[in-house]
Amino acid sequence: MSPGITPPYTRDVRGLRLAVRVTPRGGREAVAGVVHDAEGRPALAVRLAAPPVEGAANAALVRFLAAVLDLRRADVTILSGSTGRQKMLHLAGDADALAGKLDALLRAAG
């Protein structure tokens, strides 16, 4: 992340907590940068091709993030927001390594 920019994640003893804003039926699966909610809290913007029907978008989100962060699907857990666009996830693993991978994704997203 660039200096002065608040990342959409926080470290904990088991990995990272990651705030995500999902756009289902977004045409393709991609990280679209960081967005801020009305209170100014950052979230990772993720576009998904899957529709928001019967958990399809949640499953696609877990699958996508596990693939791009080189994690097992079991290491990506939706903590809250399973029925909305705003979600809080937990990523299990080495917090510093995960933060580095997320920062690289955000730099690539522009």
Side-chain angles (χ1 to χ4, degrees):
M1 292 289 314
S2 300
I5 304 283
T6 304
Y9 56 81
T10 57
R11 290 169 169 81
D12 69 20
V13 295
R14 298 178 300 121
L16 295 181
R17 290 174 57 94
L18 175 65
V20 177
R21 170 135 172 99
V22 175
T23 302
R25 291 191 179 128
R28 59 185 172 85
E29 294 183 340
V31 171
V34 175
V35 294
H36 293 83
D37 66 11
E39 288 82 35
R41 293 179 297 229
L44 183 72
V46 177
R47 296 169 47 124
L48 300 171
V53 178
E54 297 178 11
N58 287 339
L61 175 64
V62 168
R63 203 170 34 252
F64 173 70
L65 287 178
V68 298
L69 296 172
D70 195 28
L71 296 171
R72 298 174 305 142
R73 288 184 204 165
D75 292 334
V76 181
T77 307
I78 298 175
L79 299 174
S80 64
S82 62
T83 60
R85 291 177 185 257
Q86 293 288 129
K87 301 179 187 305
M88 182 60 68
L89 306 180
H90 186 267
L91 307 176
D94 178 81
D96 291 333
L98 290 168
K101 289 177 184 180
L102 282 168
D103 291 346
L105 278 176
L106 290 171
R107 281 192 300 275

